[in-house]
Amino acid sequence: MAGVSTKEIKNRIRSMESTRQITKAMEMVAASKLRRAQAQVLSSRPYFEILYSTIADIASSNRDFSSPYLQERPVKKALYIVIAGDRGLAGGYNSNVEKAVTSAGFNPADVQLYTVGSKGRDNLSKKGYAVAKDYGDVIEAPTYRAAMDIGRDVLNAFSSGEVGEIWMAYTVFKNTITHIPKMIRLLPVAVPEEETAEEKKDGPMLLMNFEPEPEEVLDAVIPKYINSVIYGGMMDAVASENGARMT
């Protein structure tokens, strides 16, 4: 420490103590947010799982549907909903979401981003991705209403033919330590593979009747499905971000 004055040493000590107080406060805030987010994750998942099982049942019961939500089509543009954070100091949380997007295989010129969280927007726009819509600071306090707004916008883009696929990049919350970046396709809905004879023999038989016709039910359920997946993704993301910030 030769050449360093006592005053400079004291200033450094005070600076470190101030930083420690700030990070301790951040940890407490993250812990509080994490508890709330965990509860919301657990409460939102059953709703999505029921919707998804209904859609899968309809899709597998009749593979001749003409619904655009099921039809594979040439993809000139893909739409990515990217859910990241608004702040740093969360380890690799934001960069892992970015990697999920950049490794998906699409040329940035063929992708439209609908971003939730400024980190995803800023980092990916620097890599050549076009941000078509940005939802500001929605991720600070996600609501189902916000998910509905995003869902409406992405469904309009899909229905108009502006984009051929809709994907979502977010982080799945497992526990405080484990957060898994994930890229999932929302539309077109993937039709489940047909069961083998052995699976049909051993598995439970579940028959569902739909009124009105299954295709009409599918068209009515799809928007709710999209909204619930987006909302669930935001809940998972908030829990994952605060878990990452704590560790």
Side-chain angles (χ1 to χ4, degrees), residues 164-194:
E165 289 183 349
I166 298 175
W167 294 74
M168 185 171 78
Y170 70 113
T171 306
V172 179
F173 178 82
K174 293 296 184 181
N175 53 54
T176 306
I177 303 297
T178 306
H179 330 108
I180 304 170
K182 193 171 184 180
M183 190 81 165
I184 60 172
R185 191 176 80 167
L186 306 187
L187 289 178
V189 175
V191 179
E193 295 290 334
E194 291 203 51

Side-chain angles (χ1 to χ4, degrees), residues 155-233:
L155 280 174
N156 285 342
F158 183 82
S159 299
S160 68
E162 183 181 345
V163 297
E165 289 183 349
I166 298 175
W167 294 74
M168 185 171 78
Y170 70 113
T171 306
V172 179
F173 178 82
K174 293 296 184 181
N175 53 54
T176 306
I177 303 297
T178 306
H179 330 108
I180 304 170
K182 193 171 184 180
M183 190 81 165
I184 60 172
R185 191 176 80 167
L186 306 187
L187 289 178
V189 175
V191 179
E193 295 290 334
E194 291 203 51
E195 294 181 316
T196 64
E198 192 67 24
E199 288 171 332
K200 290 179 180 178
K201 182 182 71 174
D202 295 338
M205 293 295 292
L206 178 61
L207 298 176
M208 298 179 69
N209 294 319
F210 297 96
E211 293 185 3
E213 292 302 309
E215 192 165 358
E216 294 179 63
V217 175
L218 182 70
D219 290 342
V221 169
I222 284 291
K224 293 180 172 58
Y225 156 72
I226 294 295
N227 296 342
S228 69
V229 174
I230 294 171
Y231 180 69

